[in-house]
Amino acid sequence: MVRSPLTPQQIAAGKRLGAFLREARGDRKPAEVAQAASISPETLRKIETGRLATPAFTTVAALAAVLEIPLDELARICVPELNLQRTG
């Protein structure tokens, strides 16, 4: 199966996600965060640099848990046009 090329919107969303995760990681070492999220440091690096614009949901969820970021916050970053509102 051949994957369709990413749209400019998907690429931009991946860059926003990566930048946000990098900022959220702060001074923590990439290897430490990657290990805690059960991903490779290379995968984390690709996400943070936007080279992996559409990581798997389980990867994003694991990083969100390790970095203590609500998933709805990441959704707003990735798809700001949805203007998601917090509930509860």
Side-chain angles (χ1 to χ4, degrees), residues 9-77:
Q9 293 82 9
Q10 289 171 313
I11 293 168
K15 288 182 181 183
R16 286 191 305 274
L17 174 65
F20 184 84
L21 291 173
R22 169 62 185 96
E23 185 176 320
R25 182 169 55 80
D27 293 334
R28 291 176 71 179
K29 295 182 182 195
E32 172 190 327
V33 172
Q35 181 179 14
S38 298
I39 63 172
S40 72
E42 177 66 12
T43 297
L44 179 58
R45 187 177 68 74
K46 286 180 180 178
I47 293 168
E48 288 185 349
T49 60
R51 286 184 44 225
L52 181 56
T54 57
F57 176 77
T58 54
T59 299
V60 174
L63 287 169
V66 168
L67 297 172
E68 299 179 358
I69 303 167
L71 284 174
D72 62 335
E73 187 171 346
L74 292 180
R76 280 191 296 277
I77 289 161

